[in-house]
Amino acid sequence: MTTTTARPAGGGVRLRAVSRRPEFTLAVLALAGFVALAVATGGNLLSSGTLGAFFRFLAVPIVIGLAQMVVLAIGQMNLSVGTLTGLCAMVAAWLMLEAGLPAPLAILGALVVGLAAGLLNGLLVVFTRINGFIVTLATMTIFEGLRYGVNGPDTFQGYSAGLREFGSASLLGLPVVFLVALAVAGLVAVFFARAVAGRQLLATGGSPFAARLSGVSNDRSVVVAHGLSGLLAGVAAVLTVAASGSVNASIGDDLLLPSFAAPIIGGVALTGGVVSVVGTCLAAFLIRLVDVMQAQFDINRRWIDLIVGAVVLGAVLLGTVRQRLLRRTS
């Protein structure tokens, strides 16, 4: 009798614990929003073409949200993530069209540029002791100028047919670029859960003083976080080049707000020490639903930005209230 009653109780406790997690709430909202939008569009959202486009253009918001999340993990921000993505995309296209390099080398070049730029951000923060917000605000302007300098206002198009086919390919009914984004999310989750460097990033974000006493180099964590952020921006750039078929100097201008919205709505703490890969992906899904709603019903884009910004502000306020309540109860 004791055994049979204990198991349901334990299962009930676990179920209640899961239901209280922010990821569970986001999953419910994502499912409800998807169903509601499918009904509102008369089932058009569920057509193969529309559904494929939905997930194809969800790939970049997921990766760009993760690029911001890894810097938020140490309690900093990366304002240059959008323009850096655009710069890497322009570099990849330039390497294929102007330098004549094959697509694999152009992809590698974009990733190297992203990683190098991210490391530069981290090193500048460490050596100048200036907040990452200010440093990346400055480098954002620099990357914007470099992005424009690659090809001016002209558009790069007609590059590698193989890369464009990769961008439009599907596997098991899902776009390959979306599956790549999910694979990247899985690697980031493993990095924070299993890798020593990932745990050190969280330690630095949670309490730099305690991390230093434990032998963790906070400076190294800053460089690693910004370097990884830059690398992920390079990945987002490659997915952009593959999925869009053309790039120009405006690529990345609309990525800054989504880069913050996805992790913050997903439950990542602005003060550092807390990450949520699943939450970031689900929040990116919700933001993508809002974009589809805007396109389907021809809503003014400014209203959409207002809604997303308000949701981000609400998430920040709720996070602050939650932290205060936890401090009072501890």
Side-chain angles (χ1 to χ4, degrees):
M1 293 293 291
T2 305
T3 303
T4 56
T5 55
R7 286 178 180 173
V13 171
R14 286 193 294 270
L15 182 59
R16 285 194 297 271
V18 171
S19 64
R20 291 175 181 174
R21 292 182 63 84
E23 293 87 348
F24 180 83
T25 304
L26 284 172
V28 172
L29 289 175
L31 179 60
F34 185 82
V35 171
L37 190 56
V39 172
T41 58
N44 182 52
L45 181 62
L46 301 178
S47 64
S48 59
T50 304
L51 200 59
F54 178 90
F55 285 106
R56 180 171 294 107
F57 292 104
L58 175 59
V60 170
I62 287 176
V63 177
I64 208 68
L66 295 172
Q68 193 67 253
M69 186 194 76
V70 297
V71 179
L72 289 173
I74 59 171
Q76 295 194 11
M77 301 179 184
N78 183 3
L79 297 184
S80 67
V81 68
T83 55
L84 179 55
T85 299
L87 173 61
C88 294
M90 292 292 285
V91 167
W94 183 88
L95 289 174
M96 286 184 284
L97 290 174
E98 301 296 332
L101 294 180
L105 289 180
I107 291 172
L108 180 61
L111 296 179
V112 169
V113 169
L115 176 60
L119 292 174
L120 175 63
N121 280 338
L123 290 172
L124 286 174
V125 171
V126 169
F127 286 115
T128 63
R129 299 299 174 186
I130 299 175
N131 188 278
F133 181 92
I134 303 300
V135 169
T136 57
L137 177 62
T139 57
M140 176 183 71
T141 306
I142 295 172
F143 296 153
E144 185 176 4
L146 292 175
R147 180 187 59 180
Y148 183 83
V150 173
N151 199 39
D154 297 330
T155 299
F156 278 129
Q157 55 188 354
Y159 43 78
S160 172
L163 184 58
R164 285 183 280 122
E165 289 175 2
F166 170 81
S168 60
S170 297
L171 180 64
L172 302 176
L174 291 173
V176 173
V177 290
F178 173 68
L179 296 177
V180 170
L182 291 184
V184 170
L187 290 174
V188 173
V190 171
F191 172 76
F192 280 108
R194 302 295 182 185
V196 174
R199 307 302 294 176
Q200 289 177 343
L201 259 60
L202 295 176
T204 295
S207 175
F209 179 72
R212 185 166 57 251
L213 291 179
S214 301
V216 175
S217 171
N218 292 324
D219 289 346
R220 184 173 61 234
S221 293
V222 169
V223 175
V224 169
H226 280 281
L228 183 56
S229 178
L231 179 61
L232 289 170
V235 173
V238 172
L239 296 180
T240 299
V241 172
S244 64
S246 64
V247 293
N248 56 40
S250 66
I251 289 290
D253 285 344
D254 57 346
L255 293 178
L256 183 58
L257 178 58
S259 78
F260 280 105
I264 292 174
I265 296 173
V268 177
L270 281 174
T271 53
V274 178
V275 296
S276 176
V277 173
V278 174
T280 298
C281 293
L282 288 171
F285 182 91
L286 285 170
I287 296 169
R288 179 71 184 126
L289 281 178
V290 174
D291 288 336
V292 172
M293 180 181 68
Q294 184 265 335
Q296 288 285 336
F297 300 104
D298 196 25
I299 303 173
N300 191 311
R301 182 69 205 182
R302 294 179 181 177
W303 286 109
I304 299 299
D305 291 340
L306 185 149
I307 293 171
V308 174
V311 172
V312 172
L313 179 60
V316 172
L317 294 176
L318 285 175
T320 302
V321 172
R322 188 183 299 114
Q323 288 180 356
R324 289 179 179 176
L325 290 175
L326 289 174
R327 288 172 185 169
R328 289 179 182 179
T329 57
S330 58

